């Protein structure tokens, strides 16, 4: 049996070496990288609000116990913790230190149901968590937003393999940090570190796919499959995190993700050989030039505003559920399950369908559907009422991402130099702006005017932005680039995109992929 196992292992290694230049294997590596990145992104969604609330409650109990042990404590000390004491169970020293008529007044404004052991005991502490959780969630996207403009041009100079592998290494360190962090500051550092790794993985991964899938329709299918990895990570992350946190503990889900990250790193190390520097054969368009392209900006805006809706929901929806539904820990993650499943379905369906119906139309319908769905979220009275609106949100964002990500590569082919690192850095910047502004602004708005108004505002913004996608219906190309694409001697054969259908440019109708298959 030992020899048979060794033979099988040898056959697997031999197959991997032979298929090293396969486009499908590159697609699988990007799929796994996006899967792990987004599992780590979303596994914290049900864990962090409840975990931070528990930490704050424990700290408050310690403060009150120390107050009780000091009979002559200064009056000013009680004023420091009065934000908590008005709503938390009062100890003997606190009741004597405050006027009795102060005790029932604070809970009356934000009274919570008391018929369940899952109900939080402190309404004010729970509302304060909105800002802390929002800033923590936004830290990853903010760091990624800052890192992306450097990663895009870097991939043009050294290739995609090294940044992709560097992203794995940083992601692994971030996962370990999450597992053993026991304070808000350490969790903030872990989340920020993840932003650097995510920037390397997403920009290099998408750029690599765009470079090996030069045909527009095939590129759309490949990116749709890669986004399926993103969708699967979003799908598995919240329920996986909530169930593991409820029944095993905070550390367990992050350790499991760390082992999965090691598998992805080993696959990259063996297949992509990230020790080699492979710069692009031609100099890409400068990043600032791409950022001035109005059509690229519209596509990036669609990605940003489409994803900002779910980004605002991630830190605020669990807290709203704890406040209004007395939801248990596992329900906080399961609530996002319909959105995750529908996102997976949407990216799979519209990866191909968007090319046929027109990617501009697919994105327009998707953004409108996002706006309508998020407006309906606050009408839910229990976790079952969240199923339909969350399903609509996820499905609509899948429509937007699966249509706008390929069109970014197409716009570069049509209007600029066909080097993709910088344009997918812009796409990732747009994605990160949604996930940076969403949680940070959303947490403050939810604390000030409430969760229902927050959902109404972002829904209206999405609906107002949607008509701009009409400009992507027939984007003009540069005359020089059109001449190159029409040149029959040009080695790159592309497939043009139009709303009426598909036609080939160049004399040879069959794209050549001998270098990859």
């Amino acid at each position: 049996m030992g020899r048979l196992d060794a033979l099988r292992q040898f056959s697997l290694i031999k197959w991997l070496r032979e298929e090293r230049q396969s486009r499908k294997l590159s697609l699988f590596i990007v799929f796994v990288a996006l899967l792990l990145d987004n599992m780590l992104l979303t596994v914290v969604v049900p864990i962090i609000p409840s975990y931070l609330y528990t930490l704050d409650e424990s700290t408050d109990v310690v403060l009150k116990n120390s107050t009780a042990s000091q009979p002559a404590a200064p009056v000013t000390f009680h004023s420091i913790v009065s934000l908590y004491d008005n709503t938390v169970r009062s100890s003997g020293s606190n009741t004597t230190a405050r006027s009795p008529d102060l005790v029932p007044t604070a809970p009356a404004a934000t009274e919570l149901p008391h018929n369940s052991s899952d109900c939080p005991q402190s309404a004010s502490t729970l509302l304060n968590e909105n800002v802390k959780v929002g800033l923590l969630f936004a830290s990853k996207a903010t760091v990624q937003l800052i890192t992306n403009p450097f990663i895009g041009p870097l991939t043009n100079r050294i290739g995609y393999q090294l940044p992709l592998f560097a992203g794995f290494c940083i992601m692994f360190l971030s996962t370990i940090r999450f597992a053993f962090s026991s304070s808000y500051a350490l969790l903030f550092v872990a989340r920020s570190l993840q932003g650097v790794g995510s920037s390397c993985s997403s920009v290099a991964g998408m750029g690599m796919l765009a470079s090996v899938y030069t045909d527009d329709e095939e590129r759309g299918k490949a990116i749709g499959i890669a986004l399926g990895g993103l969708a699967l990570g979003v799908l598995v992350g919240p329920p996986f995190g909530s169930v593991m946190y409820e029944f095993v503990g905070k550390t367990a889900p992050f350790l499991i993700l760390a082992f999965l990250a090691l598998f992805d790193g080993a696959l990259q190390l063996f297949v992509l050989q990230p020790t080699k520097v492979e710069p692009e054969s031609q100099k890409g368009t400068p990043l600032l030039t791409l950022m001035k392209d109005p059509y690229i900006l519209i596509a990036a805006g669609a990605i940003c505003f489409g994803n900002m809706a779910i980004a605002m929901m991630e830190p605020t929806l669990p807290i709203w559920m704890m406040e209004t539904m007395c939801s248990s820990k596992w329900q906080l993650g399961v609530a996002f399950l319909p959105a995750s499943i529908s996102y997976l379905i949407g990216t799979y369906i519209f990866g191909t369908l968007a090319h046929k119906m027109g990617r501009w139309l697919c994105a327009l319908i998707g953004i409108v559907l996002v706006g309508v769905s998020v407006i309906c979220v606050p009408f839910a009275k229990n976790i079952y009422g969240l199923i339909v609106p969350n399903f609509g949100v996820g499905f609509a964002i899948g429509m937007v991402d699966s249509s706008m990500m390929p069109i970014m590569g197409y716009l570069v082919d049509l209007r600029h130099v066909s080097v993709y690192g910088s344009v997918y850095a812009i796409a990732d910047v747009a994605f990160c702006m949604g996930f940076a502004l969403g949680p940070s602004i959303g947490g403050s708005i939810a604390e000030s005017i409430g969760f229902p108004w927050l959902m109404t505002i972002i829904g209206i913004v999405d609906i107002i932005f949607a008509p701009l996608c009409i400009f992507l219906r027939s984007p003009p190309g540069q005359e020089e680039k059109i001449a190159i694409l029409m040149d029959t001697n040009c080695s790159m054969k592309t497939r043009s995109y139009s709303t009426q259908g598909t036609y080939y440019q160049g004399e040879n109708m069959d794209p050549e992929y001998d270098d990859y298959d």
Side-chain angles (χ1 to χ4, degrees):
M1 292 298 294
R3 293 182 178 179
L4 182 60
D5 293 338
L7 181 61
R8 291 175 178 173
Q9 185 178 6
F10 175 77
S11 299
L12 177 62
I13 294 175
K14 183 179 180 181
W15 178 81
L16 287 174
R17 287 176 178 172
E18 293 176 352
E19 298 294 324
R20 180 171 289 164
Q21 299 299 322
S22 171
R23 295 185 301 167
K24 294 181 180 179
L25 202 53
S26 299
L27 176 59
F28 177 73
I29 290 174
V30 176
F31 178 93
V32 175
L34 294 179
L35 169 67
L36 292 174
D37 180 21
N38 288 275
M39 277 194 71
L40 182 58
L41 174 71
T42 57
V43 76
V44 301
V45 169
I47 296 176
I48 296 301
S50 178
Y51 183 71
L52 290 179
Y53 175 78
T54 303
L55 286 179
D56 288 343
E57 284 288 277
S58 301
T59 303
D60 188 47
V61 170
V62 171
L63 289 175
K64 290 194 299 177
N65 289 339
S66 62
T67 305
S69 63
Q70 300 175 1
V75 177
T76 55
F77 179 80
H78 293 288
S79 65
I80 295 176
V81 296
S82 62
L83 289 175
Y84 299 99
D85 290 343
N86 286 339
T87 53
V88 182
R89 299 178 301 276
S90 58
S91 61
S93 63
N94 288 335
T95 56
T96 58
R98 293 178 300 164
S99 177
D101 58 344
L102 291 179
V103 176
T105 55
T110 54
E111 186 175 357
L112 296 175
H114 297 287
N115 56 353
S116 172
S117 60
D118 293 318
C119 292
Q121 298 299 316
S122 173
S124 63
T125 305
L126 191 61
L127 290 176
N128 290 335
E129 295 298 329
N130 276 294
V131 177
K132 292 179 64 176
V133 174
L135 291 176
L136 178 63
F137 282 8
S139 63
K140 181 259 185 188
T142 303
V143 172
Q144 190 172 349
L145 187 66
I146 298 172
T147 310
N148 278 335
F150 300 98
I151 300 300
L154 181 65
T155 58
N156 298 339
R157 297 179 181 179
I158 67 174
Y160 302 108
Q161 289 83 359
L162 273 175
L164 192 61
F165 186 74
F168 145 74
C169 296
I170 299 173
M171 201 76 63
F172 177 77
L173 293 176
S174 173
T175 307
I176 296 298
R177 171 72 72 176
F178 263 119
F180 298 104
S181 295
S182 57
S183 67
Y184 181 83
L186 293 177
L187 290 171
F188 193 91
V189 171
R191 184 74 168 181
S192 302
L193 186 63
Q194 184 195 354
V196 181
S198 181
S199 176
C200 296
S201 298
S202 56
V203 173
M206 287 296 180
M208 184 170 67
L209 290 183
S211 65
V212 298
Y213 287 92
T214 56
D215 178 78
D216 184 55
E217 185 175 0
E218 289 192 347
R219 179 186 295 161
K221 292 179 181 179
I223 292 180
I225 294 173
L227 290 177
L230 186 153
L232 192 59
V234 174
L235 168 65
V236 176
F240 171 73
S242 59
V243 171
M244 294 295 290
Y245 178 49
E246 174 83 18
F247 300 106
V248 182
K250 181 184 77 74
T251 304
F254 298 108
L255 291 180
I256 294 175
L257 289 180
F259 282 111
L260 292 177
L262 286 177
F263 164 76
D264 179 55
L267 189 62
Q268 289 187 37
L269 189 63
F270 187 82
V271 175
L272 296 181
Q273 293 182 331
T275 56
K276 295 182 178 180
V277 176
E278 298 179 0
E280 291 285 351
S281 57
Q282 54 185 339
K283 185 178 180 180
T285 304
L287 184 64
L288 291 177
T289 303
L290 295 177
M291 292 180 66
K292 294 177 183 178
D293 190 319
Y295 298 94
I296 291 179
L297 289 180
I298 292 175
I303 296 172
C304 176
F305 287 107
N307 287 277
M308 188 180 292
I310 193 70
M312 285 187 171
M313 289 174 60
E314 283 186 352
T316 55
L317 180 60
I319 295 174
W320 181 72
M321 291 173 62
M322 293 168 65
E323 181 184 359
T324 61
M325 303 178 188
C326 294
S327 300
S328 59
K329 295 176 183 178
W330 68 269
Q331 290 178 331
L332 302 181
V334 172
F336 290 92
L337 197 59
S340 305
I341 294 175
S342 60
Y343 184 86
L344 181 63
I345 296 173
T347 54
Y348 179 78
I349 293 176
F350 290 97
T352 302
L353 186 60
H355 180 78
K356 297 179 180 179
M357 65 181 289
R359 293 190 175 117
W360 68 274
L361 180 60
C362 182
L364 190 151
I365 296 174
I367 295 178
V368 172
L369 184 57
V370 169
V372 174
S373 298
V374 296
I375 291 175
C376 295
V377 168
F379 292 99
K381 302 300 181 182
N382 51 49
I383 191 173
Y384 302 105
L386 293 171
I387 294 177
V388 174
N390 280 3
F391 187 93
V393 170
F395 189 80
I397 296 176
M399 295 177 65
V400 175
D401 287 354
S402 60
S403 56
M404 290 296 98
M405 286 294 185
I407 211 173
M408 296 291 265
Y410 170 76
L411 288 173
V412 168
D413 285 340
L414 184 65
R415 298 170 57 81
H416 304 280
V417 181
S418 298
V419 177
Y420 307 99
S422 295
V423 75
Y424 281 105
I426 295 175
D428 206 45
V429 164
F431 184 84
C432 294
M433 285 187 66
F435 275 88
L437 297 177
S440 56
I441 297 176
S444 301
I445 295 176
E447 184 184 27
S448 301
I449 62 177
F451 178 78
W453 277 108
L454 171 65
M455 293 293 99
T456 302
I457 291 172
I458 185 59
I460 293 175
V461 170
D462 281 343
I463 293 173
I464 292 175
F465 179 85
L468 291 177
C469 294
I470 297 175
F471 290 100
L472 298 176
R473 180 175 183 177
S474 182
Q478 295 181 356
E479 295 181 0
E480 298 84 355
K481 193 61 182 288
I482 293 176
I484 294 175
L485 293 176
M486 293 297 294
D487 186 4
T488 56
N489 296 324
C490 181
S491 59
M492 176 182 173
K493 307 301 178 184
T494 64
R495 181 179 291 179
S496 286
Y497 166 80
S498 68
T499 56
Q500 288 76 23
T502 303
Y503 61 91
Y504 292 90
Q505 293 177 329
E507 188 174 305
N508 186 0
M509 298 297 185
D510 297 324
E512 297 178 359
Y513 299 118
D514 295 337
D515 294 337
Y516 302 109
D517 290 330

